[in-house]
Amino acid sequence: MLAIPRTIYEAVLAHGRAGFPQETCGILGGNAGLVSEFYPMTNTDQSREHFMMEPKEQFAVARDLRAKGKTMLAVYHSHPDTPARPSAEDIRLARTPGVATVILSLAGPDPVLKSFRIFDGASTPEPIEIRDS
C-alpha cells in the first residue's frame, strides 16, 4: 500500500492539471510505503499519450533521495484522456522492480488516482491512501 499525504496528492493533481492536455510525470519518494517526497519531472516527449522523463532530472532525484535516506516508492504520470489503469506501453516500460506505478486520470469530471505494481508483464492494483497531515 502507498500512503500519500494530502498535500502531495494535491501537488500531483496540480501538476497534472497544469500540464494538461499533455501527460505529466514525476517521482514519489519516502520509506516503508509512506510518501514524503514529491518530484515533478519534465515529460520530454510532450505527448498526451506517453511520457519520458528527463534523465538529468532523474539522476538529481536519485541523489537527493539517497542524501535524505529515502527511496523511490513510485513513478507517477497522468492520463489526460483515459482511465487510471496501465496501458500496454506503461506495462512494457515499467522496469523498476519494487517501484509502484501511480496513474492520475483526468479523463472524467473528477480526478482518479490509482497505484499498481507491475512485474513481468502483469499489472496488479494496490491500495492507495490519501492521508490528512
Side-chain angles (χ1 to χ4, degrees):
M1 178 180 86
L2 275 181
I4 302 176
R6 185 162 305 280
T7 55
I8 292 179
Y9 164 75
E10 290 171 357
V12 170
L13 181 57
H15 186 215
R17 286 178 169 158
F20 189 88
Q22 309 304 325
E23 283 195 7
T24 58
C25 56
I27 294 173
L28 302 175
N31 286 317
L34 176 59
V35 173
S36 59
E37 309 297 321
F38 164 71
Y39 301 94
M41 307 291 281
T42 302
N43 178 356
T44 60
D45 285 349
Q46 288 298 297
S47 168
R48 66 185 307 140
E49 297 171 356
H50 53 88
F51 71 95
M52 179 64 65
M53 291 184 187
E54 166 58 51
K56 289 180 183 178
E57 291 177 1
Q58 290 180 55
F59 289 124
V61 167
R63 281 191 302 274
D64 190 61
L65 286 170
R66 192 171 35 253
K68 292 177 177 176
K70 312 272 174 126
T71 61
M72 184 186 310
L73 296 177
V75 169
Y76 76 84
H77 69 282
S78 63
H79 280 187
D81 304 310
T82 57
R85 65 173 176 254
S87 66
E89 181 174 292
D90 293 336
I91 292 170
R92 183 175 54 83
L93 296 176
R95 300 182 189 260
T96 312
V99 173
T101 296
V102 172
I103 301 173
L104 171 68
S105 174
L106 299 171
D110 296 315
V112 176
L113 188 74
K114 293 187 178 180
S115 182
F116 301 87
R117 296 293 171 163
I118 300 173
F119 180 73
D120 203 21
S123 169
T124 305
E126 76 169 336
I128 190 167
E129 178 183 346
I130 308 302
R131 293 185 177 175
D132 291 321
S133 299

Tab-separated table of all heavy atoms in Angstrom, residues 11-58:
chain	number	residue	atom	x	y	z
A	11	ALA	N	-0.414	18.272	-4.913
A	11	ALA	CA	0.678	18.704	-5.788
A	11	ALA	C	0.705	17.878	-7.077
A	11	ALA	O	0.922	18.425	-8.167
A	11	ALA	CB	2.013	18.617	-5.051
A	12	VAL	N	0.476	16.563	-6.970
A	12	VAL	CA	0.410	15.703	-8.157
A	12	VAL	C	-0.759	16.144	-9.038
A	12	VAL	O	-0.626	16.263	-10.263
A	12	VAL	CB	0.274	14.210	-7.758
A	12	VAL	CG1	-0.045	13.333	-8.968
A	12	VAL	CG2	1.547	13.715	-7.068
A	13	LEU	N	-1.901	16.398	-8.416
A	13	LEU	CA	-3.087	16.840	-9.154
A	13	LEU	C	-2.832	18.188	-9.841
A	13	LEU	O	-3.155	18.358	-11.024
A	13	LEU	CB	-4.275	16.933	-8.196
A	13	LEU	CG	-5.607	17.368	-8.788
A	13	LEU	CD1	-6.035	16.455	-9.931
A	13	LEU	CD2	-6.668	17.398	-7.689
A	14	ALA	N	-2.228	19.127	-9.124
A	14	ALA	CA	-1.931	20.442	-9.713
A	14	ALA	C	-0.964	20.302	-10.886
A	14	ALA	O	-1.122	20.965	-11.918
A	14	ALA	CB	-1.356	21.373	-8.653
A	15	HIS	N	0.029	19.425	-10.746
A	15	HIS	CA	0.989	19.181	-11.826
A	15	HIS	C	0.268	18.633	-13.055
A	15	HIS	O	0.496	19.086	-14.192
A	15	HIS	CB	2.077	18.225	-11.333
A	15	HIS	CG	3.182	18.001	-12.299
A	15	HIS	ND1	3.811	16.789	-12.409
A	15	HIS	CD2	3.790	18.802	-13.200
A	15	HIS	CE1	4.752	16.862	-13.339
A	15	HIS	NE2	4.753	18.079	-13.835
A	16	GLY	N	-0.618	17.649	-12.836
A	16	GLY	CA	-1.365	17.066	-13.946
A	16	GLY	C	-2.246	18.081	-14.651
A	16	GLY	O	-2.299	18.131	-15.877
A	17	ARG	N	-2.915	18.896	-13.860
A	17	ARG	CA	-3.804	19.909	-14.454
A	17	ARG	C	-3.010	20.991	-15.184
A	17	ARG	O	-3.427	21.459	-16.243
A	17	ARG	CB	-4.679	20.519	-13.371
A	17	ARG	CG	-5.778	19.566	-12.920
A	17	ARG	CD	-6.621	20.160	-11.818
A	17	ARG	NE	-7.809	19.341	-11.596
A	17	ARG	CZ	-8.505	19.347	-10.482
A	17	ARG	NH1	-8.141	20.136	-9.469
A	17	ARG	NH2	-9.569	18.581	-10.350
A	18	ALA	N	-1.868	21.371	-14.630
A	18	ALA	CA	-1.047	22.415	-15.259
A	18	ALA	C	-0.483	21.941	-16.598
A	18	ALA	O	-0.323	22.736	-17.520
A	18	ALA	CB	0.096	22.834	-14.332
A	19	GLY	N	-0.176	20.656	-16.711
A	19	GLY	CA	0.398	20.119	-17.941
A	19	GLY	C	-0.629	19.679	-18.965
A	19	GLY	O	-0.280	19.361	-20.101
A	20	PHE	N	-1.898	19.612	-18.559
A	20	PHE	CA	-2.967	19.174	-19.442
A	20	PHE	C	-2.986	20.015	-20.718
A	20	PHE	O	-2.786	21.222	-20.644
A	20	PHE	CB	-4.316	19.313	-18.704
A	20	PHE	CG	-5.471	18.699	-19.414
A	20	PHE	CD1	-5.784	17.374	-19.224
A	20	PHE	CD2	-6.239	19.444	-20.286
A	20	PHE	CE1	-6.849	16.792	-19.885
A	20	PHE	CE2	-7.297	18.881	-20.967
A	20	PHE	CZ	-7.610	17.552	-20.760
A	21	PRO	N	-3.123	19.459	-21.901
A	21	PRO	CA	-3.569	18.101	-22.197
A	21	PRO	C	-2.430	17.089	-22.385
A	21	PRO	O	-2.674	15.964	-22.783
A	21	PRO	CB	-4.343	18.271	-23.502
A	21	PRO	CG	-3.571	19.333	-24.227
A	21	PRO	CD	-3.107	20.286	-23.126
A	22	GLN	N	-1.186	17.479	-22.091
A	22	GLN	CA	-0.074	16.534	-22.188
A	22	GLN	C	-0.025	15.668	-20.929
A	22	GLN	O	-0.511	16.064	-19.883
A	22	GLN	CB	1.256	17.274	-22.345
A	22	GLN	CG	1.291	18.315	-23.443
A	22	GLN	CD	0.927	17.782	-24.805
A	22	GLN	OE1	1.228	16.656	-25.144
A	22	GLN	NE2	0.259	18.602	-25.595
A	23	GLU	N	0.593	14.494	-21.039
A	23	GLU	CA	0.851	13.698	-19.841
A	23	GLU	C	1.907	14.407	-19.020
A	23	GLU	O	2.844	15.001	-19.558
A	23	GLU	CB	1.351	12.289	-20.201
A	23	GLU	CG	0.266	11.367	-20.656
A	23	GLU	CD	0.677	9.894	-20.670
A	23	GLU	OE1	1.780	9.540	-20.205
A	23	GLU	OE2	-0.135	9.088	-21.161
A	24	THR	N	1.752	14.338	-17.710
A	24	THR	CA	2.784	14.820	-16.802
A	24	THR	C	3.348	13.610	-16.078
A	24	THR	O	2.731	12.534	-16.049
A	24	THR	CB	2.219	15.837	-15.794
A	24	THR	OG1	1.152	15.229	-15.059
A	24	THR	CG2	1.726	17.086	-16.495
A	25	CYS	N	4.521	13.771	-15.480
A	25	CYS	CA	5.161	12.636	-14.826
A	25	CYS	C	6.035	13.119	-13.674
A	25	CYS	O	6.386	14.299	-13.602
A	25	CYS	CB	5.985	11.834	-15.825
A	25	CYS	SG	7.229	12.799	-16.719
A	26	GLY	N	6.375	12.186	-12.805
A	26	GLY	CA	7.233	12.535	-11.687
A	26	GLY	C	7.540	11.321	-10.829
A	26	GLY	O	7.160	10.191	-11.150
A	27	ILE	N	8.214	11.587	-9.737
A	27	ILE	CA	8.672	10.540	-8.822
A	27	ILE	C	8.181	10.873	-7.423
A	27	ILE	O	8.201	12.026	-7.003
A	27	ILE	CB	10.205	10.431	-8.866
A	27	ILE	CG1	10.653	9.939	-10.248
A	27	ILE	CG2	10.728	9.514	-7.760
A	27	ILE	CD1	12.151	9.953	-10.488
A	28	LEU	N	7.769	9.831	-6.705
A	28	LEU	CA	7.385	9.953	-5.301
A	28	LEU	C	8.367	9.140	-4.481
A	28	LEU	O	8.644	7.980	-4.802
A	28	LEU	CB	5.960	9.436	-5.083
A	28	LEU	CG	4.865	10.131	-5.904
A	28	LEU	CD1	3.517	9.444	-5.685
A	28	LEU	CD2	4.792	11.609	-5.561
A	29	GLY	N	8.901	9.740	-3.439
A	29	GLY	CA	9.873	9.052	-2.600
A	29	GLY	C	9.422	9.003	-1.155
A	29	GLY	O	8.493	9.702	-0.747
A	30	GLY	N	10.094	8.188	-0.380
A	30	GLY	CA	9.789	8.062	1.042
A	30	GLY	C	10.368	6.780	1.580
A	30	GLY	O	11.360	6.259	1.053
A	31	ASN	N	9.722	6.245	2.603
A	31	ASN	CA	10.159	4.990	3.214
A	31	ASN	C	8.950	4.182	3.647
A	31	ASN	O	7.933	4.749	4.076
A	31	ASN	CB	11.049	5.251	4.433
A	31	ASN	CG	12.428	5.724	4.051
A	31	ASN	OD1	13.041	5.194	3.123
A	31	ASN	ND2	12.922	6.725	4.741
A	32	ALA	N	9.066	2.866	3.549
A	32	ALA	CA	8.062	1.930	4.056
A	32	ALA	C	6.653	2.243	3.552
A	32	ALA	O	5.682	2.137	4.298
A	32	ALA	CB	8.099	1.894	5.583
A	33	GLY	N	6.533	2.631	2.291
A	33	GLY	CA	5.230	2.883	1.705
A	33	GLY	C	4.620	4.232	2.021
A	33	GLY	O	3.550	4.562	1.520
A	34	LEU	N	5.289	5.039	2.836
A	34	LEU	CA	4.784	6.368	3.180
A	34	LEU	C	5.517	7.410	2.346
A	34	LEU	O	6.723	7.618	2.496
A	34	LEU	CB	4.976	6.668	4.667
A	34	LEU	CG	4.559	8.076	5.115
A	34	LEU	CD1	3.093	8.343	4.811
A	34	LEU	CD2	4.838	8.250	6.602
A	35	VAL	N	4.792	8.064	1.458
A	35	VAL	CA	5.367	9.073	0.578
A	35	VAL	C	5.631	10.344	1.371
A	35	VAL	O	4.769	10.823	2.098
A	35	VAL	CB	4.421	9.361	-0.613
A	35	VAL	CG1	4.937	10.528	-1.447
A	35	VAL	CG2	4.251	8.114	-1.470
A	36	SER	N	6.833	10.873	1.213
A	36	SER	CA	7.188	12.132	1.880
A	36	SER	C	7.855	13.113	0.924
A	36	SER	O	8.063	14.271	1.286
A	36	SER	CB	8.120	11.864	3.069
A	36	SER	OG	9.306	11.225	2.635
A	37	GLU	N	8.187	12.655	-0.282
A	37	GLU	CA	8.917	13.482	-1.242
A	37	GLU	C	8.190	13.477	-2.581
A	37	GLU	O	7.770	12.429	-3.073
A	37	GLU	CB	10.340	12.961	-1.441
A	37	GLU	CG	11.123	12.742	-0.160
A	37	GLU	CD	11.365	13.998	0.645
A	37	GLU	OE1	11.625	15.055	0.026
A	37	GLU	OE2	11.284	13.923	1.877
A	38	PHE	N	8.069	14.658	-3.180
A	38	PHE	CA	7.389	14.847	-4.462
A	38	PHE	C	8.346	15.523	-5.425
A	38	PHE	O	8.905	16.575	-5.125
A	38	PHE	CB	6.151	15.731	-4.229
A	38	PHE	CG	5.566	16.326	-5.477
A	38	PHE	CD1	4.891	15.545	-6.401
A	38	PHE	CD2	5.673	17.689	-5.727
A	38	PHE	CE1	4.337	16.103	-7.541
A	38	PHE	CE2	5.119	18.258	-6.865
A	38	PHE	CZ	4.448	17.462	-7.764
A	39	TYR	N	8.558	14.899	-6.585
A	39	TYR	CA	9.464	15.433	-7.597
A	39	TYR	C	8.751	15.484	-8.952
A	39	TYR	O	8.703	14.478	-9.673
A	39	TYR	CB	10.703	14.552	-7.737
A	39	TYR	CG	11.504	14.388	-6.481
A	39	TYR	CD1	11.281	13.303	-5.630
A	39	TYR	CD2	12.493	15.300	-6.136
A	39	TYR	CE1	12.033	13.137	-4.471
A	39	TYR	CE2	13.253	15.137	-4.981
A	39	TYR	CZ	12.999	14.051	-4.154
A	39	TYR	OH	13.750	13.884	-3.004
A	40	PRO	N	8.186	16.633	-9.315
A	40	PRO	CA	7.622	16.734	-10.666
A	40	PRO	C	8.753	16.725	-11.682
A	40	PRO	O	9.801	17.325	-11.459
A	40	PRO	CB	6.893	18.075	-10.639
A	40	PRO	CG	7.563	18.862	-9.558
A	40	PRO	CD	8.097	17.864	-8.560
A	41	MET	N	8.550	16.023	-12.770
A	41	MET	CA	9.587	15.879	-13.786
A	41	MET	C	9.104	16.473	-15.103
A	41	MET	O	7.909	16.677	-15.315
A	41	MET	CB	9.909	14.394	-13.988
A	41	MET	CG	10.263	13.648	-12.704
A	41	MET	SD	11.832	14.139	-11.998
A	41	MET	CE	12.917	13.230	-13.058
A	42	THR	N	10.039	16.676	-16.004
A	42	THR	CA	9.726	17.143	-17.346
A	42	THR	C	9.411	15.950	-18.237
A	42	THR	O	10.188	15.000	-18.286
A	42	THR	CB	10.931	17.916	-17.935
A	42	THR	OG1	11.237	19.012	-17.077
A	42	THR	CG2	10.635	18.411	-19.337
A	43	ASN	N	8.268	15.995	-18.907
A	43	ASN	CA	7.941	14.994	-19.915
A	43	ASN	C	8.597	15.455	-21.219
A	43	ASN	O	8.070	16.318	-21.911
A	43	ASN	CB	6.430	14.852	-20.086
A	43	ASN	CG	6.057	13.856	-21.175
A	43	ASN	OD1	6.918	13.316	-21.863
A	43	ASN	ND2	4.770	13.629	-21.347
A	44	THR	N	9.749	14.904	-21.528
A	44	THR	CA	10.490	15.345	-22.712
A	44	THR	C	9.761	15.007	-24.013
A	44	THR	O	10.032	15.618	-25.037
A	44	THR	CB	11.917	14.755	-22.742
A	44	THR	OG1	11.829	13.333	-22.771
A	44	THR	CG2	12.714	15.215	-21.533
A	45	ASP	N	8.843	14.049	-23.976
A	45	ASP	CA	8.082	13.697	-25.177
A	45	ASP	C	6.962	14.691	-25.462
A	45	ASP	O	6.471	14.748	-26.590
A	45	ASP	CB	7.489	12.296	-25.056
A	45	ASP	CG	8.523	11.208	-25.229
A	45	ASP	OD1	9.657	11.513	-25.652
A	45	ASP	OD2	8.206	10.041	-24.934
A	46	GLN	N	6.535	15.434	-24.451
A	46	GLN	CA	5.434	16.396	-24.628
A	46	GLN	C	4.293	15.774	-25.429
A	46	GLN	O	3.866	16.304	-26.451
A	46	GLN	CB	5.948	17.681	-25.296
A	46	GLN	CG	6.802	18.532	-24.386
A	46	GLN	CD	6.020	19.004	-23.171
A	46	GLN	OE1	5.058	19.722	-23.292
A	46	GLN	NE2	6.434	18.588	-21.987
A	47	SER	N	3.794	14.657	-24.922
A	47	SER	CA	2.741	13.905	-25.599
A	47	SER	C	1.552	13.718	-24.668
A	47	SER	O	1.721	13.656	-23.452
A	47	SER	CB	3.294	12.537	-26.008
A	47	SER	OG	2.254	11.677	-26.422
A	48	ARG	N	0.375	13.579	-25.226
A	48	ARG	CA	-0.795	13.279	-24.413
A	48	ARG	C	-1.019	11.771	-24.313
A	48	ARG	O	-1.983	11.330	-23.700
A	48	ARG	CB	-2.032	14.001	-24.936
A	48	ARG	CG	-2.509	13.586	-26.269
A	48	ARG	CD	-3.671	14.424	-26.796
A	48	ARG	NE	-4.756	14.500	-25.871
A	48	ARG	CZ	-5.474	15.612	-25.647
A	48	ARG	NH1	-5.219	16.705	-26.304
A	48	ARG	NH2	-6.467	15.603	-24.787
A	49	GLU	N	-0.115	10.975	-24.913
A	49	GLU	CA	-0.269	9.524	-24.910
A	49	GLU	C	0.864	8.770	-24.233
A	49	GLU	O	0.739	7.579	-23.976
A	49	GLU	CB	-0.418	9.028	-26.344
A	49	GLU	CG	-1.655	9.560	-27.016
A	49	GLU	CD	-1.700	9.244	-28.493
A	49	GLU	OE1	-0.711	8.670	-29.011
A	49	GLU	OE2	-2.704	9.575	-29.136
A	50	HIS	N	1.980	9.429	-23.971
A	50	HIS	CA	3.094	8.754	-23.283
A	50	HIS	C	4.031	9.803	-22.708
A	50	HIS	O	3.914	10.989	-22.982
A	50	HIS	CB	3.835	7.779	-24.205
A	50	HIS	CG	4.290	8.380	-25.485
A	50	HIS	ND1	5.499	9.018	-25.628
A	50	HIS	CD2	3.676	8.456	-26.697
A	50	HIS	CE1	5.616	9.453	-26.871
A	50	HIS	NE2	4.526	9.125	-27.538
A	51	PHE	N	4.967	9.322	-21.891
A	51	PHE	CA	5.912	10.242	-21.260
A	51	PHE	C	7.304	9.649	-21.264
A	51	PHE	O	7.486	8.437	-21.333
A	51	PHE	CB	5.486	10.578	-19.821
A	51	PHE	CG	5.652	9.436	-18.859
A	51	PHE	CD1	6.800	9.323	-18.082
A	51	PHE	CD2	4.676	8.469	-18.734
A	51	PHE	CE1	6.966	8.270	-17.196
A	51	PHE	CE2	4.837	7.409	-17.846
A	51	PHE	CZ	5.977	7.316	-17.076
A	52	MET	N	8.281	10.527	-21.167
A	52	MET	CA	9.677	10.153	-20.987
A	52	MET	C	10.274	11.201	-20.061
A	52	MET	O	10.189	12.397	-20.332
A	52	MET	CB	10.420	10.136	-22.325
A	52	MET	CG	11.892	9.782	-22.212
A	52	MET	SD	12.199	8.107	-21.594
A	52	MET	CE	11.503	7.125	-22.900
A	53	MET	N	10.857	10.750	-18.965
A	53	MET	CA	11.454	11.681	-18.003
A	53	MET	C	12.819	12.157	-18.476
A	53	MET	O	13.568	11.403	-19.108
A	53	MET	CB	11.602	11.019	-16.635
A	53	MET	CG	10.305	10.753	-15.947
A	53	MET	SD	10.614	10.095	-14.305
A	53	MET	CE	8.959	9.669	-13.826
A	54	GLU	N	13.142	13.387	-18.134
A	54	GLU	CA	14.450	13.978	-18.436
A	54	GLU	C	15.503	13.244	-17.595
A	54	GLU	O	15.431	13.259	-16.359
A	54	GLU	CB	14.414	15.474	-18.109
A	54	GLU	CG	15.760	16.143	-18.041
A	54	GLU	CD	16.563	16.016	-19.320
A	54	GLU	OE1	16.027	16.323	-20.397
A	54	GLU	OE2	17.738	15.618	-19.217
A	55	PRO	N	16.480	12.576	-18.223
A	55	PRO	CA	17.465	11.795	-17.478
A	55	PRO	C	18.234	12.596	-16.416
A	55	PRO	O	18.463	12.088	-15.313
A	55	PRO	CB	18.405	11.261	-18.561
A	55	PRO	CG	17.551	11.210	-19.785
A	55	PRO	CD	16.638	12.398	-19.674
A	56	LYS	N	18.634	13.821	-16.715
A	56	LYS	CA	19.378	14.607	-15.720
A	56	LYS	C	18.528	14.853	-14.474
A	56	LYS	O	19.041	14.829	-13.358
A	56	LYS	CB	19.840	15.937	-16.316
A	56	LYS	CG	20.944	15.782	-17.326
A	56	LYS	CD	21.365	17.123	-17.891
A	56	LYS	CE	22.424	16.928	-18.966
A	56	LYS	NZ	22.835	18.187	-19.574
A	57	GLU	N	17.238	15.071	-14.671
A	57	GLU	CA	16.345	15.254	-13.525
A	57	GLU	C	16.241	13.965	-12.712
A	57	GLU	O	16.218	14.001	-11.484
A	57	GLU	CB	14.954	15.687	-13.991
A	57	GLU	CG	14.900	17.077	-14.560
A	57	GLU	CD	13.506	17.452	-15.075
A	57	GLU	OE1	12.562	16.631	-14.975
A	57	GLU	OE2	13.360	18.575	-15.579
A	58	GLN	N	16.192	12.829	-13.388
A	58	GLN	CA	16.114	11.542	-12.692
A	58	GLN	C	17.341	11.317	-11.808
A	58	GLN	O	17.211	10.872	-10.664
A	58	GLN	CB	15.995	10.398	-13.691
A	58	GLN	CG	14.668	10.350	-14.407
A	58	GLN	CD	14.620	9.194	-15.383
A	58	GLN	OE1	14.850	8.044	-15.008
A	58	GLN	NE2	14.339	9.494	-16.639
